[in-house]
């Protein structure tokens, strides 16, 4: 199976698509945001520093990020599992770091999914997003077909849904600016390597998944 790397603005649905790939094809999902949110729970000075950065929509240091990612990715590749990297790279330096890491680990069968999403749609998704702290399923109380059956409760785990502390309008603007200024330039880097798949993320998650599915078993 092809390995995937997601590049997207906030709330494009990379977490949702990753979850669908895990459930349907047994992919291993590596989310740098989730790795950081775990690390931010630690009361050490590093944990507090990470918490401050993500709460303000700022990027965490590249060297720390690649270290966190490398440990995780190495073990997945050694087990011969197909993977999804969600949230990395976020800038050109990280893109170069990632391709170097792929070379080191002999990974060549990968594609970079570039999810395009309009600003207003991204904002609506961020402001209404609620996440299950247990299974990480995303819901949205501003979008009809993404509302949970019982208000504020996860359909599967029956636990109370939570709002991410970076899902507010101010932080969204900073995260979107970071995406435009730092992440968008990565697209031409991977286009030159012939790795980009363009996806319209304004569509429903089912439609997006139908599209992504067609690449899972692509022979490279
Ligand atoms: P996400 O869950 O992917 O939206 O990430 C949440 C936050 O974690 C981002 O707004 C950043 O503060 C931080 N983060 C996630 N991935 C990275 C990365 N590759 N480099 C730097 N910071 C990151």
């Amino acid at each position: 199976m092809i390995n995937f790397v997601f590049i997207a603005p906030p709330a494009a649905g990379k977490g949702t698509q990753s979850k669908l790939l895990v459930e349907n094809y047994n992919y291993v999902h590596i989310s740098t945001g989730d790795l950081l949110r775990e690390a931010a729970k630690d009361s050490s000075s590093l944990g507090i520093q990470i918490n401050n950065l993500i709460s303000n929509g700022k990027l965490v240091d590249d060297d720390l990020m690649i270290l966190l990612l490398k440990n995780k990715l190495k073990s997945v590749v050694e087990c011969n599992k197909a993977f999804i990297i969600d949230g990395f790279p976020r800038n050109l330096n990280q893109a170069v770091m990632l391709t170097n890491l792929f070379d080191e680990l002999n990974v060549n069968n990968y594609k970079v999914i570039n999810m395009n999403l309009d600003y207003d749609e991204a904002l609506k998704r961020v402001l209404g997003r609620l996440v299950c702290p247990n299974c990480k399923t995303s819901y949205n109380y501003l979008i009809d077909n993404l509302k949970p059956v019982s208000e504020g409760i996860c359909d599967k785990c029956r636990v109370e849904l939570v709002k991410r502390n970076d899902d507010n309008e101010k932080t969204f603007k900073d995260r979107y600016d970071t995406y435009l200024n730092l992440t968008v330039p990565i697209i031409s880097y991977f286009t030159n390597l012939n790795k980009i798949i363009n996806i319209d993320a304004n569509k429903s998650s089912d439609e997006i998944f139908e599209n992504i599915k067609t690449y899972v078993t692509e022979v490279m």
Side-chain angles (χ1 to χ4, degrees), residues 2-6 83 85 102 108-114 190 193-197 215 218-220:
I2 291 284
N3 300 297
F4 290 119
V5 176
F6 280 111
F83 61 81
I85 300 180
F102 281 165
N108 186 43
N109 60 332
Y110 72 94
K111 285 280 185 186
V112 177
I113 298 189
N114 171 35
F190 284 110
L193 296 176
N194 203 16
K195 292 292 188 187
I196 287 282
I197 296 170
Y215 296 99
E218 185 179 312
V219 180
M220 297 195 60

Side-chain angles (χ1 to χ4, degrees), residues 2-218:
I2 291 284
N3 300 297
F4 290 119
V5 176
F6 280 111
I7 296 182
K14 50 192 171 67
T16 303
Q17 294 305 318
S18 299
K19 212 162 179 304
L20 290 168
L21 286 166
V22 171
E23 285 165 4
N24 287 277
Y25 298 100
N26 234 349
Y27 272 87
V28 177
H29 178 208
I30 306 173
S31 154
T32 49
D34 285 348
L35 289 175
L36 288 171
R37 279 184 285 277
E38 251 336 285
K41 286 182 191 157
D42 200 288
S43 54
S44 65
S45 68
L46 182 61
I48 294 168
Q49 206 184 323
I50 291 174
N51 189 32
N52 279 340
L53 287 168
I54 59 181
S55 305
N56 289 306
K58 300 276 181 279
L59 291 186
V60 172
D61 180 74
D62 292 350
D63 293 328
L64 172 63
M65 279 316 314
I66 191 80
L67 209 69
L68 281 174
L69 180 68
K70 187 174 179 171
N71 286 337
K72 183 85 188 162
L73 187 62
K74 202 160 177 274
S75 62
V76 173
V77 172
E78 278 167 4
C79 296
N80 270 324
K81 297 238 175 153
F83 61 81
I84 305 152
I85 300 180
D86 152 7
F88 191 101
R90 290 285 233 275
N91 60 36
L92 205 49
N93 187 37
Q94 292 187 2
V96 175
M97 284 174 152
L98 184 64
T99 46
N100 288 341
L101 180 59
F102 281 165
D103 286 346
E104 192 183 320
L105 300 175
N106 271 324
V107 173
N108 186 43
N109 60 332
Y110 72 94
K111 285 280 185 186
V112 177
I113 298 189
N114 171 35
M115 299 180 88
N116 296 293
L117 181 67
D118 297 340
Y119 180 91
D120 289 344
E121 178 64 22
L123 178 61
K124 187 165 97 181
R125 291 187 189 179
V126 159
L127 295 184
R129 176 158 61 183
L130 290 174
V131 185
C132 172
N134 189 33
C135 70
K136 307 272 189 284
T137 299
S138 266
Y139 297 86
N140 198 302
Y141 61 83
L142 297 178
I143 301 173
D144 277 342
N145 63 346
L146 295 178
K147 290 179 182 166
V149 177
S150 316
E151 197 182 316
I153 304 288
C154 177
D155 294 350
K156 296 172 207 157
C157 311
R158 309 304 305 160
V159 299
E160 204 168 320
L161 301 172
V162 294
K163 198 168 177 60
R164 278 171 44 168
N165 63 357
D166 57 350
D167 276 349
N168 56 68
E169 190 160 356
K170 158 86 181 71
T171 308
F172 168 77
K173 283 187 177 137
D174 290 344
R175 284 156 69 205
Y176 201 88
D177 278 351
T178 304
Y179 164 76
L180 287 182
N181 296 328
L182 299 179
T183 309
V184 167
I186 298 174
I187 297 165
S188 50
Y189 177 79
F190 284 110
T191 304
N192 289 336
L193 296 176
N194 203 16
K195 292 292 188 187
I196 287 282
I197 296 170
N198 286 304
I199 297 274
D200 179 3
N202 295 288
K203 296 194 167 153
S204 73
S205 55
D206 288 347
E207 283 172 296
I208 298 171
F209 189 55
E210 282 307 309
N211 193 349
I212 291 179
K213 259 161 77 172
T214 61
Y215 296 99
V216 168
T217 52
E218 185 179 312

